[in-house]
Amino acid sequence: MKVLVDMPLFAPGLEALRRVPGVEVVQVEKPEEKKRLLPTALVQDCDVLFCTFPPENLGEMQQLKLIQISSAGYTQLLGLGLPEKNIRACNALGVFDVPIAEWNMAMMVNMARDMRTLLHHQDEKIWDRSARFQHEIRGSVVGIWGYGGIGRETARLAKAMGLTVHVLTRTPVGKREDTYCVPGTGDPDGVLPDRNFLLHEKESFLKGLDFLILAMPLTPENEGIVGEEELNSLPPGAFLLNPARGVLVKEQALIKALKDGAIKGAALDTHYYYPMPPGHPFWSMPNVILTPHISGSSASPNFLQRAYDILVQNVTRLQEGRSLLNELHPSKLVI
């Protein structure tokens, strides 16, 4: 089995891949995170492709059986005719569960203690020991909308810090199988939530929260899923955290809720514009923390290790005829 690696070098991962019996590893000399032509001689007899974006001459890869991409999002695979060509595809779901869950915990503590104001006080040399800077999050109720890998690792950390965990999902929470998870993290058996709400119970879910964390993917059905009605269903003292996708929340509804005090504050890592324009009101709102989509990214120190780990496991599983990790159903690969 010939594996073509069009990814940055990660020596331990390559070494582990080469140890898989019957595997030949070929590296692209100058890997790039973009779609471009690769030499025909390099691609034509490959069985597995490890990349972020498939090459423009994907059609020349007549022996290709599997594409393993390094991102959780997979729009770059849509419309390539992979199901018709019997090419299987897997994404990198799970590589960012840990850093994004840690961002969630950091933001809850920061929002509860109003660290944004405290840091401003430091810059202005203001000594203010008000009680509002001394809140703790233990005993709070955190609601996680969506319960994939990020939601499950957030739940694990939140339970360790003494929070009550509620989740809102389309179907009852259960075990996750054949999905990548960093060992020792997450909630693979689905046993951590104190309460599981289904979509028709959305209002009851929202009204009992101190923190609402969005942990769902962006789909056509989910765009704008949080609007004025949902924000007004939260208690006035609640905080919104969005490390998922900016447009899950209606922009003007969020601005209004923050200005009018419908919610207490928001921590936003994903946005409506890239970069956010200097004149956007979020920049100057004292109850908003903005981070530039860094809660989980390919610059994370563990990104390559985890991405290669998925690849090695899937090449092994493919060799042995077992189910693959993070495999995308063919129905997800058509436009």
Side-chain angles (χ1 to χ4, degrees):
M1 181 177 289
K2 185 174 180 180
V3 179
L4 179 62
V5 176
D6 186 15
M7 285 287 294
L9 173 67
F10 180 67
L14 285 173
E15 184 179 336
L17 185 61
R18 291 190 176 105
R19 287 200 299 266
V20 178
V23 167
E24 176 190 358
V25 180
V26 179
Q27 294 173 256
V28 175
E29 187 174 340
K30 295 181 180 179
E32 296 184 53
E33 286 192 15
K34 67 178 184 180
K35 190 174 183 180
R36 78 268 191 228
L37 285 170
L38 291 176
T40 299
L42 190 66
V43 305
Q44 62 184 358
D45 59 346
C46 292
D47 301 285
V48 177
L49 171 63
F50 180 38
C51 64
T52 302
F53 294 92
E56 292 179 354
N57 52 332
L58 181 69
E60 295 181 345
M61 304 184 77
Q62 298 296 317
Q63 293 184 197
L64 192 62
K65 301 178 181 66
L66 169 66
I67 298 179
Q68 173 68 61
I69 57 173
S70 63
S71 60
Y74 52 88
T75 55
Q76 67 269 44
L77 300 181
L78 302 183
L80 299 180
L82 300 183
E84 294 81 2
K85 299 172 183 175
N86 292 318
I87 298 173
R88 301 166 75 179
C90 299
N91 66 0
L93 203 67
V95 296
F96 298 129
D97 293 354
V98 171
I100 296 178
E102 290 184 0
W103 182 92
N104 288 337
M105 301 307 299
M107 291 303 110
M108 284 195 283
V109 172
N110 272 273
M111 298 299 289
R113 288 183 173 261
D114 194 6
M115 287 297 296
R116 190 183 191 288
T117 299
L118 281 172
L119 293 173
H120 173 71
H121 284 181
Q122 179 180 341
D123 292 337
E124 299 298 322
K125 302 176 180 62
I126 296 171
W127 186 265
D128 182 354
R129 301 180 66 241
S130 300
R132 68 190 178 101
F133 302 127
Q134 301 180 46
H135 292 178
E136 57 186 62
I137 65 171
R138 185 177 183 84
S140 300
V141 179
V142 56
I144 304 172
W145 194 336
Y147 204 58
I150 292 167
R152 290 173 187 241
E153 175 61 2
T154 300
R156 186 184 72 85
L157 297 178
K159 295 287 284 186
M161 291 187 69
L163 282 79
T164 296
V165 174
H166 292 175
V167 301
L168 179 65
T169 54
R170 294 182 182 276
T171 57
V173 169
K175 290 185 176 182
R176 289 183 101 202
E177 297 179 348
D178 296 326
T179 305
Y180 180 73
C181 182
V182 175
T185 71
D187 179 22
D189 293 326
V191 298
L192 290 180
D194 295 283
R195 189 169 176 188
N196 183 188
F197 295 79
L198 300 180
L199 278 182
H200 70 275
E201 303 172 294
K202 178 179 64 176
E203 185 177 353
S204 297
F205 165 76
L206 292 171
K207 71 181 183 181
L209 303 181
D210 298 298
F211 300 95
L212 170 61
I213 298 176
L214 301 185
M216 68 189 85
L218 176 61
T219 64
E221 296 77 20
N222 286 347
E223 185 169 345
I225 199 168
V226 178
E228 187 172 354
E229 178 185 345
E230 288 74 22
L231 293 168
N232 287 335
S233 294
L234 290 165
F239 297 97
L240 168 71
L241 284 72
N242 188 3
R245 285 294 182 268
V247 295
L248 292 170
V249 185
K250 293 179 180 177
E251 182 181 8
Q252 294 306 314
L254 180 55
I255 292 172
K256 184 176 186 298
L258 290 164
K259 284 184 175 180
D260 295 349
I263 61 174
K264 193 170 183 179
L268 309 172
D269 187 55
T270 53
H271 306 286
Y272 305 96
Y273 316 97
Y274 283 79
M276 286 287 282
H280 198 284
F282 285 159
W283 285 111
S284 56
M285 284 185 174
N287 56 346
V288 173
I289 296 176
L290 292 182
T291 57
H293 207 156
I294 47 72
S295 60
S297 75
S298 58
S300 170
N302 294 307
F303 164 68
L304 284 176
Q305 182 269 322
R306 291 169 184 159
Y308 272 85
D309 187 14
I310 297 173
L311 172 69
V312 172
Q313 290 195 55
N314 273 342
V315 168
T316 303
R317 286 168 174 247
L318 188 64
Q319 290 274 59
E320 297 174 353
R322 295 189 286 136
S323 57
L324 304 179
L325 294 174
N326 299 349
E327 183 163 11
L328 298 164
H329 190 274
S331 63
K332 294 184 176 181
L333 299 173
V334 295
I335 297 176

PDB file of all heavy atoms in Angstrom, residues 105 108-113 134-142 155-165 194 210-211 239:
ATOM      1  N   MET A 105     -13.062  26.670  28.987  1.00  0.00           N
ATOM      2  CA  MET A 105     -12.900  26.811  30.436  1.00  0.00           C
ATOM      3  C   MET A 105     -12.254  28.150  30.783  1.00  0.00           C
ATOM      4  O   MET A 105     -12.677  28.835  31.728  1.00  0.00           O
ATOM      5  CB  MET A 105     -12.052  25.660  30.988  1.00  0.00           C
ATOM      6  CG  MET A 105     -12.622  24.269  30.735  1.00  0.00           C
ATOM      7  SD  MET A 105     -14.341  24.063  31.277  1.00  0.00           S
ATOM      8  CE  MET A 105     -14.185  24.376  33.031  1.00  0.00           C
ATOM      9  N   MET A 108     -14.829  30.938  30.470  1.00  0.00           N
ATOM     10  CA  MET A 108     -15.807  30.974  31.559  1.00  0.00           C
ATOM     11  C   MET A 108     -15.211  31.649  32.788  1.00  0.00           C
ATOM     12  O   MET A 108     -15.860  32.490  33.427  1.00  0.00           O
ATOM     13  CB  MET A 108     -16.291  29.561  31.883  1.00  0.00           C
ATOM     14  CG  MET A 108     -17.284  29.017  30.866  1.00  0.00           C
ATOM     15  SD  MET A 108     -18.203  27.554  31.443  1.00  0.00           S
ATOM     16  CE  MET A 108     -16.939  26.289  31.250  1.00  0.00           C
ATOM     17  N   VAL A 109     -13.989  31.303  33.129  1.00  0.00           N
ATOM     18  CA  VAL A 109     -13.336  31.934  34.285  1.00  0.00           C
ATOM     19  C   VAL A 109     -13.117  33.425  34.017  1.00  0.00           C
ATOM     20  O   VAL A 109     -13.378  34.278  34.885  1.00  0.00           O
ATOM     21  CB  VAL A 109     -11.999  31.234  34.600  1.00  0.00           C
ATOM     22  CG1 VAL A 109     -11.235  31.994  35.670  1.00  0.00           C
ATOM     23  CG2 VAL A 109     -12.244  29.796  35.048  1.00  0.00           C
ATOM     24  N   ASN A 110     -12.638  33.747  32.820  1.00  0.00           N
ATOM     25  CA  ASN A 110     -12.376  35.147  32.479  1.00  0.00           C
ATOM     26  C   ASN A 110     -13.646  35.991  32.515  1.00  0.00           C
ATOM     27  O   ASN A 110     -13.638  37.129  33.010  1.00  0.00           O
ATOM     28  CB  ASN A 110     -11.735  35.237  31.097  1.00  0.00           C
ATOM     29  CG  ASN A 110     -10.224  35.128  31.143  1.00  0.00           C
ATOM     30  OD1 ASN A 110      -9.536  36.117  31.319  1.00  0.00           O
ATOM     31  ND2 ASN A 110      -9.714  33.919  31.003  1.00  0.00           N
ATOM     32  N   MET A 111     -14.751  35.445  31.970  1.00  0.00           N
ATOM     33  CA  MET A 111     -15.999  36.204  31.965  1.00  0.00           C
ATOM     34  C   MET A 111     -16.558  36.347  33.374  1.00  0.00           C
ATOM     35  O   MET A 111     -17.038  37.421  33.764  1.00  0.00           O
ATOM     36  CB  MET A 111     -17.023  35.530  31.058  1.00  0.00           C
ATOM     37  CG  MET A 111     -16.628  35.421  29.594  1.00  0.00           C
ATOM     38  SD  MET A 111     -16.347  36.995  28.764  1.00  0.00           S
ATOM     39  CE  MET A 111     -18.006  37.632  28.644  1.00  0.00           C
ATOM     40  N   ALA A 112     -16.501  35.282  34.161  1.00  0.00           N
ATOM     41  CA  ALA A 112     -17.055  35.337  35.514  1.00  0.00           C
ATOM     42  C   ALA A 112     -16.328  36.355  36.379  1.00  0.00           C
ATOM     43  O   ALA A 112     -16.932  37.038  37.207  1.00  0.00           O
ATOM     44  CB  ALA A 112     -17.002  33.951  36.160  1.00  0.00           C
ATOM     45  N   ARG A 113     -15.010  36.476  36.187  1.00  0.00           N
ATOM     46  CA  ARG A 113     -14.211  37.401  37.000  1.00  0.00           C
ATOM     47  C   ARG A 113     -13.978  38.758  36.318  1.00  0.00           C
ATOM     48  O   ARG A 113     -13.279  39.604  36.852  1.00  0.00           O
ATOM     49  CB  ARG A 113     -12.860  36.766  37.341  1.00  0.00           C
ATOM     50  CG  ARG A 113     -12.968  35.645  38.365  1.00  0.00           C
ATOM     51  CD  ARG A 113     -11.606  35.096  38.735  1.00  0.00           C
ATOM     52  NE  ARG A 113     -11.697  34.136  39.833  1.00  0.00           N
ATOM     53  CZ  ARG A 113     -11.444  34.432  41.107  1.00  0.00           C
ATOM     54  NH1 ARG A 113     -11.089  35.661  41.452  1.00  0.00           N
ATOM     55  NH2 ARG A 113     -11.541  33.505  42.041  1.00  0.00           N
ATOM     56  N   GLN A 134     -14.364  38.720  41.847  1.00  0.00           N
ATOM     57  CA  GLN A 134     -13.991  37.600  42.706  1.00  0.00           C
ATOM     58  C   GLN A 134     -14.968  36.417  42.616  1.00  0.00           C
ATOM     59  O   GLN A 134     -14.994  35.557  43.484  1.00  0.00           O
ATOM     60  CB  GLN A 134     -13.890  38.094  44.160  1.00  0.00           C
ATOM     61  CG  GLN A 134     -12.862  39.217  44.327  1.00  0.00           C
ATOM     62  CD  GLN A 134     -12.748  39.703  45.750  1.00  0.00           C
ATOM     63  OE1 GLN A 134     -12.662  38.897  46.677  1.00  0.00           O
ATOM     64  NE2 GLN A 134     -12.725  41.014  45.937  1.00  0.00           N
ATOM     65  N   HIS A 135     -15.745  36.385  41.535  1.00  0.00           N
ATOM     66  CA  HIS A 135     -16.688  35.285  41.364  1.00  0.00           C
ATOM     67  C   HIS A 135     -15.952  33.995  41.034  1.00  0.00           C
ATOM     68  O   HIS A 135     -14.842  34.006  40.503  1.00  0.00           O
ATOM     69  CB  HIS A 135     -17.676  35.602  40.249  1.00  0.00           C
ATOM     70  CG  HIS A 135     -18.615  36.716  40.589  1.00  0.00           C
ATOM     71  ND1 HIS A 135     -19.552  37.193  39.711  1.00  0.00           N
ATOM     72  CD2 HIS A 135     -18.764  37.460  41.721  1.00  0.00           C
ATOM     73  CE1 HIS A 135     -20.225  38.170  40.265  1.00  0.00           C
ATOM     74  NE2 HIS A 135     -19.767  38.362  41.487  1.00  0.00           N
ATOM     75  N   GLU A 136     -16.595  32.856  41.316  1.00  0.00           N
ATOM     76  CA  GLU A 136     -16.059  31.556  40.914  1.00  0.00           C
ATOM     77  C   GLU A 136     -17.100  30.850  40.068  1.00  0.00           C
ATOM     78  O   GLU A 136     -18.292  31.158  40.129  1.00  0.00           O
ATOM     79  CB  GLU A 136     -15.691  30.717  42.139  1.00  0.00           C
ATOM     80  CG  GLU A 136     -16.826  30.481  43.113  1.00  0.00           C
ATOM     81  CD  GLU A 136     -16.356  29.765  44.373  1.00  0.00           C
ATOM     82  OE1 GLU A 136     -15.511  30.326  45.103  1.00  0.00           O
ATOM     83  OE2 GLU A 136     -16.857  28.648  44.623  1.00  0.00           O
ATOM     84  N   ILE A 137     -16.644  29.901  39.252  1.00  0.00           N
ATOM     85  CA  ILE A 137     -17.580  29.218  38.362  1.00  0.00           C
ATOM     86  C   ILE A 137     -18.069  27.895  38.940  1.00  0.00           C
ATOM     87  O   ILE A 137     -19.028  27.317  38.426  1.00  0.00           O
ATOM     88  CB  ILE A 137     -16.978  28.988  36.959  1.00  0.00           C
ATOM     89  CG1 ILE A 137     -15.787  28.032  37.002  1.00  0.00           C
ATOM     90  CG2 ILE A 137     -16.591  30.319  36.330  1.00  0.00           C
ATOM     91  CD1 ILE A 137     -15.302  27.623  35.608  1.00  0.00           C
ATOM     92  N   ARG A 138     -17.455  27.418  39.990  1.00  0.00           N
ATOM     93  CA  ARG A 138     -17.913  26.181  40.619  1.00  0.00           C
ATOM     94  C   ARG A 138     -19.371  26.336  41.030  1.00  0.00           C
ATOM     95  O   ARG A 138     -19.773  27.347  41.604  1.00  0.00           O
ATOM     96  CB  ARG A 138     -17.053  25.845  41.836  1.00  0.00           C
ATOM     97  CG  ARG A 138     -17.401  24.504  42.471  1.00  0.00           C
ATOM     98  CD  ARG A 138     -16.486  24.171  43.640  1.00  0.00           C
ATOM     99  NE  ARG A 138     -16.807  22.853  44.176  1.00  0.00           N
ATOM    100  CZ  ARG A 138     -16.347  21.705  43.703  1.00  0.00           C
ATOM    101  NH1 ARG A 138     -15.518  21.726  42.669  1.00  0.00           N
ATOM    102  NH2 ARG A 138     -16.683  20.556  44.232  1.00  0.00           N
ATOM    103  N   GLY A 139     -20.195  25.345  40.744  1.00  0.00           N
ATOM    104  CA  GLY A 139     -21.611  25.403  41.072  1.00  0.00           C
ATOM    105  C   GLY A 139     -22.466  26.002  39.981  1.00  0.00           C
ATOM    106  O   GLY A 139     -23.699  25.958  40.065  1.00  0.00           O
ATOM    107  N   SER A 140     -21.841  26.565  38.938  1.00  0.00           N
ATOM    108  CA  SER A 140     -22.595  27.126  37.821  1.00  0.00           C
ATOM    109  C   SER A 140     -23.130  26.020  36.929  1.00  0.00           C
ATOM    110  O   SER A 140     -22.663  24.873  36.966  1.00  0.00           O
ATOM    111  CB  SER A 140     -21.704  28.055  36.988  1.00  0.00           C
ATOM    112  OG  SER A 140     -21.212  29.122  37.770  1.00  0.00           O
ATOM    113  N   VAL A 141     -24.110  26.388  36.110  1.00  0.00           N
ATOM    114  CA  VAL A 141     -24.665  25.447  35.133  1.00  0.00           C
ATOM    115  C   VAL A 141     -24.180  25.846  33.751  1.00  0.00           C
ATOM    116  O   VAL A 141     -24.419  26.974  33.302  1.00  0.00           O
ATOM    117  CB  VAL A 141     -26.209  25.439  35.147  1.00  0.00           C
ATOM    118  CG1 VAL A 141     -26.742  24.456  34.108  1.00  0.00           C
ATOM    119  CG2 VAL A 141     -26.730  25.072  36.538  1.00  0.00           C
ATOM    120  N   VAL A 142     -23.469  24.952  33.094  1.00  0.00           N
ATOM    121  CA  VAL A 142     -23.005  25.205  31.731  1.00  0.00           C
ATOM    122  C   VAL A 142     -23.838  24.360  30.777  1.00  0.00           C
ATOM    123  O   VAL A 142     -24.022  23.163  30.989  1.00  0.00           O
ATOM    124  CB  VAL A 142     -21.495  24.910  31.558  1.00  0.00           C
ATOM    125  CG1 VAL A 142     -21.136  23.484  31.958  1.00  0.00           C
ATOM    126  CG2 VAL A 142     -21.054  25.179  30.123  1.00  0.00           C
ATOM    127  N   ALA A 155     -17.236  19.032  28.699  1.00  0.00           N
ATOM    128  CA  ALA A 155     -18.000  18.468  29.813  1.00  0.00           C
ATOM    129  C   ALA A 155     -17.081  17.817  30.842  1.00  0.00           C
ATOM    130  O   ALA A 155     -17.278  17.968  32.060  1.00  0.00           O
ATOM    131  CB  ALA A 155     -19.005  17.446  29.287  1.00  0.00           C
ATOM    132  N   ARG A 156     -16.068  17.101  30.370  1.00  0.00           N
ATOM    133  CA  ARG A 156     -15.140  16.434  31.299  1.00  0.00           C
ATOM    134  C   ARG A 156     -14.428  17.451  32.180  1.00  0.00           C
ATOM    135  O   ARG A 156     -14.340  17.299  33.407  1.00  0.00           O
ATOM    136  CB  ARG A 156     -14.121  15.605  30.516  1.00  0.00           C
ATOM    137  CG  ARG A 156     -13.199  14.751  31.387  1.00  0.00           C
ATOM    138  CD  ARG A 156     -12.153  14.037  30.546  1.00  0.00           C
ATOM    139  NE  ARG A 156     -11.143  14.953  30.039  1.00  0.00           N
ATOM    140  CZ  ARG A 156     -10.060  15.335  30.722  1.00  0.00           C
ATOM    141  NH1 ARG A 156      -9.862  14.882  31.958  1.00  0.00           N
ATOM    142  NH2 ARG A 156      -9.182  16.154  30.179  1.00  0.00           N
ATOM    143  N   LEU A 157     -13.924  18.522  31.562  1.00  0.00           N
ATOM    144  CA  LEU A 157     -13.224  19.558  32.324  1.00  0.00           C
ATOM    145  C   LEU A 157     -14.177  20.298  33.257  1.00  0.00           C
ATOM    146  O   LEU A 157     -13.824  20.615  34.398  1.00  0.00           O
ATOM    147  CB  LEU A 157     -12.560  20.547  31.360  1.00  0.00           C
ATOM    148  CG  LEU A 157     -11.465  19.975  30.449  1.00  0.00           C
ATOM    149  CD1 LEU A 157     -10.933  21.057  29.525  1.00  0.00           C
ATOM    150  CD2 LEU A 157     -10.332  19.356  31.256  1.00  0.00           C
ATOM    151  N   ALA A 158     -15.387  20.587  32.754  1.00  0.00           N
ATOM    152  CA  ALA A 158     -16.356  21.310  33.576  1.00  0.00           C
ATOM    153  C   ALA A 158     -16.756  20.505  34.806  1.00  0.00           C
ATOM    154  O   ALA A 158     -16.870  21.051  35.915  1.00  0.00           O
ATOM    155  CB  ALA A 158     -17.588  21.652  32.737  1.00  0.00           C
ATOM    156  N   LYS A 159     -16.965  19.201  34.640  1.00  0.00           N
ATOM    157  CA  LYS A 159     -17.322  18.366  35.787  1.00  0.00           C
ATOM    158  C   LYS A 159     -16.184  18.333  36.806  1.00  0.00           C
ATOM    159  O   LYS A 159     -16.422  18.348  38.020  1.00  0.00           O
ATOM    160  CB  LYS A 159     -17.644  16.947  35.317  1.00  0.00           C
ATOM    161  CG  LYS A 159     -18.875  16.831  34.437  1.00  0.00           C
ATOM    162  CD  LYS A 159     -20.158  16.990  35.217  1.00  0.00           C
ATOM    163  CE  LYS A 159     -20.471  15.738  36.007  1.00  0.00           C
ATOM    164  NZ  LYS A 159     -21.814  15.835  36.666  1.00  0.00           N
ATOM    165  N   ALA A 160     -14.946  18.315  36.314  1.00  0.00           N
ATOM    166  CA  ALA A 160     -13.799  18.310  37.218  1.00  0.00           C
ATOM    167  C   ALA A 160     -13.717  19.597  38.029  1.00  0.00           C
ATOM    168  O   ALA A 160     -13.179  19.599  39.140  1.00  0.00           O
ATOM    169  CB  ALA A 160     -12.511  18.106  36.428  1.00  0.00           C
ATOM    170  N   MET A 161     -14.267  20.690  37.489  1.00  0.00           N
ATOM    171  CA  MET A 161     -14.230  21.977  38.184  1.00  0.00           C
ATOM    172  C   MET A 161     -15.524  22.268  38.936  1.00  0.00           C
ATOM    173  O   MET A 161     -15.738  23.387  39.402  1.00  0.00           O
ATOM    174  CB  MET A 161     -13.925  23.095  37.194  1.00  0.00           C
ATOM    175  CG  MET A 161     -12.511  23.045  36.657  1.00  0.00           C
ATOM    176  SD  MET A 161     -12.065  24.478  35.641  1.00  0.00           S
ATOM    177  CE  MET A 161     -12.023  25.787  36.890  1.00  0.00           C
ATOM    178  N   GLY A 162     -16.390  21.261  39.048  1.00  0.00           N
ATOM    179  CA  GLY A 162     -17.558  21.400  39.899  1.00  0.00           C
ATOM    180  C   GLY A 162     -18.757  22.067  39.266  1.00  0.00           C
ATOM    181  O   GLY A 162     -19.654  22.542  39.974  1.00  0.00           O
ATOM    182  N   LEU A 163     -18.829  22.099  37.929  1.00  0.00           N
ATOM    183  CA  LEU A 163     -19.987  22.664  37.259  1.00  0.00           C
ATOM    184  C   LEU A 163     -21.026  21.582  36.985  1.00  0.00           C
ATOM    185  O   LEU A 163     -20.698  20.409  36.833  1.00  0.00           O
ATOM    186  CB  LEU A 163     -19.586  23.327  35.936  1.00  0.00           C
ATOM    187  CG  LEU A 163     -18.940  24.710  36.025  1.00  0.00           C
ATOM    188  CD1 LEU A 163     -17.471  24.612  36.401  1.00  0.00           C
ATOM    189  CD2 LEU A 163     -19.096  25.468  34.710  1.00  0.00           C
ATOM    190  N   THR A 164     -22.268  21.995  36.901  1.00  0.00           N
ATOM    191  CA  THR A 164     -23.338  21.128  36.434  1.00  0.00           C
ATOM    192  C   THR A 164     -23.408  21.246  34.918  1.00  0.00           C
ATOM    193  O   THR A 164     -23.380  22.351  34.378  1.00  0.00           O
ATOM    194  CB  THR A 164     -24.686  21.535  37.062  1.00  0.00           C
ATOM    195  OG1 THR A 164     -24.610  21.349  38.477  1.00  0.00           O
ATOM    196  CG2 THR A 164     -25.826  20.703  36.495  1.00  0.00           C
ATOM    197  N   VAL A 165     -23.492  20.107  34.237  1.00  0.00           N
ATOM    198  CA  VAL A 165     -23.436  20.094  32.774  1.00  0.00           C
ATOM    199  C   VAL A 165     -24.783  19.676  32.196  1.00  0.00           C
ATOM    200  O   VAL A 165     -25.279  18.579  32.474  1.00  0.00           O
ATOM    201  CB  VAL A 165     -22.333  19.133  32.268  1.00  0.00           C
ATOM    202  CG1 VAL A 165     -22.377  19.025  30.750  1.00  0.00           C
ATOM    203  CG2 VAL A 165     -20.966  19.604  32.737  1.00  0.00           C
ATOM    204  N   ASP A 194     -25.267  15.963  33.327  1.00  0.00           N
ATOM    205  CA  ASP A 194     -26.243  15.827  34.404  1.00  0.00           C
ATOM    206  C   ASP A 194     -27.657  15.779  33.853  1.00  0.00           C
ATOM    207  O   ASP A 194     -28.553  15.225  34.490  1.00  0.00           O
ATOM    208  CB  ASP A 194     -26.105  17.008  35.375  1.00  0.00           C
ATOM    209  CG  ASP A 194     -24.767  16.995  36.085  1.00  0.00           C
ATOM    210  OD1 ASP A 194     -24.606  16.189  37.022  1.00  0.00           O
ATOM    211  OD2 ASP A 194     -23.870  17.772  35.690  1.00  0.00           O
ATOM    212  N   ASP A 210     -26.037  29.327  33.245  1.00  0.00           N
ATOM    213  CA  ASP A 210     -25.118  30.435  33.533  1.00  0.00           C
ATOM    214  C   ASP A 210     -24.189  30.684  32.350  1.00  0.00           C
ATOM    215  O   ASP A 210     -23.762  31.817  32.119  1.00  0.00           O
ATOM    216  CB  ASP A 210     -24.285  30.111  34.781  1.00  0.00           C
ATOM    217  CG  ASP A 210     -25.150  29.951  36.016  1.00  0.00           C
ATOM    218  OD1 ASP A 210     -25.816  30.932  36.403  1.00  0.00           O
ATOM    219  OD2 ASP A 210     -25.179  28.835  36.585  1.00  0.00           O
ATOM    220  N   PHE A 211     -23.872  29.621  31.624  1.00  0.00           N
ATOM    221  CA  PHE A 211     -23.025  29.712  30.431  1.00  0.00           C
ATOM    222  C   PHE A 211     -23.660  28.863  29.328  1.00  0.00           C
ATOM    223  O   PHE A 211     -24.093  27.748  29.585  1.00  0.00           O
ATOM    224  CB  PHE A 211     -21.612  29.180  30.691  1.00  0.00           C
ATOM    225  CG  PHE A 211     -20.856  29.911  31.765  1.00  0.00           C
ATOM    226  CD1 PHE A 211     -20.854  29.438  33.073  1.00  0.00           C
ATOM    227  CD2 PHE A 211     -20.146  31.068  31.476  1.00  0.00           C
ATOM    228  CE1 PHE A 211     -20.157  30.103  34.071  1.00  0.00           C
ATOM    229  CE2 PHE A 211     -19.442  31.740  32.468  1.00  0.00           C
ATOM    230  CZ  PHE A 211     -19.452  31.260  33.774  1.00  0.00           C
ATOM    231  N   PHE A 239     -23.747  34.023  30.123  1.00  0.00           N
ATOM    232  CA  PHE A 239     -22.709  34.340  29.147  1.00  0.00           C
ATOM    233  C   PHE A 239     -22.809  33.369  27.964  1.00  0.00           C
ATOM    234  O   PHE A 239     -23.099  32.187  28.151  1.00  0.00           O
ATOM    235  CB  PHE A 239     -21.315  34.205  29.759  1.00  0.00           C
ATOM    236  CG  PHE A 239     -21.035  35.165  30.887  1.00  0.00           C
ATOM    237  CD1 PHE A 239     -21.183  34.761  32.194  1.00  0.00           C
ATOM    238  CD2 PHE A 239     -20.630  36.460  30.630  1.00  0.00           C
ATOM    239  CE1 PHE A 239     -20.920  35.618  33.255  1.00  0.00           C
ATOM    240  CE2 PHE A 239     -20.363  37.338  31.668  1.00  0.00           C
ATOM    241  CZ  PHE A 239     -20.510  36.924  32.983  1.00  0.00           C
TER     242      PHE A 239
END
